[in-house]
Amino acid sequence: MSDPAPICLRITATPVEVRAALTGLMTRPDLTGDSDFRQRLEIVLAEILNNIAEHAYPAAPGRIGLCLSPGATGMICQVIDYGLPMPGLAAPAGHPPPMTEANLPEGGFGWFLIRSLCAGLTYRHRNGQNDLTLIVPWHQ
């Protein structure tokens, strides 16, 4: 029996296109993993893809390439875009925002969630290309 083929998509970096791509991806019968895994994968990809749409392409929508390849420990996800690089040419550390009773933040949890749900995250910016690769483990 051969390994499942990678799933590769090209997405326009807009909130509507990102949502449509995620909806289509999560309903694919060839996407491996149980429902818990699929929920974690969807959270991670939604955070990453929406961050790209908002921050990498602030002036006009660009293109995003996404490839998912099943690996021994989890789904290997590679996301490529040609938008602005991440600040400091590094993926954010993913610390949750400070919280007090008087100040409950509405955002700032994206990279905390991504880093909490992933392993082996790497980011490179080279020749105008952002390349983010990570693994969403089969089991949390």
Side-chain angles (χ1 to χ4, degrees), residues 9-95:
L9 306 172
R10 296 218 183 272
I11 304 163
T12 302
T14 68
V16 171
E17 293 294 323
V18 165
R19 173 67 3 231
L22 287 170
T23 299
L25 181 62
M26 291 302 127
T27 58
R28 287 179 67 131
D30 60 336
L31 180 65
T32 57
D34 63 20
S35 64
D36 178 61
F37 164 77
R38 286 173 176 247
Q39 288 174 345
R40 289 184 282 109
L41 179 66
E42 184 173 17
I43 290 167
V44 167
L45 293 178
E47 289 293 338
I48 291 169
L49 298 174
N50 282 308
N51 278 343
I52 293 170
E54 183 178 350
H55 301 293
Y57 296 112
R63 303 295 287 163
I64 303 170
L66 170 66
C67 277
L68 306 178
S69 303
T73 61
M75 186 69 74
I76 302 164
C77 307
Q78 182 181 32
V79 184
I80 294 176
D81 71 78
Y82 295 89
L84 297 173
M86 289 194 198
L89 299 178
H95 301 296

Side-chain angles (χ1 to χ4, degrees), residues 93-99 105 107-113 115-116:
H95 301 296
M99 291 188 284
F109 292 96
W111 278 100
F112 173 73
L113 282 170
R115 291 213 180 252
S116 297

Side-chain angles (χ1 to χ4, degrees), residues 94-106:
H95 301 296
M99 291 188 284
T100 65
E101 277 187 43
N103 181 25
L104 293 176
E106 290 185 23

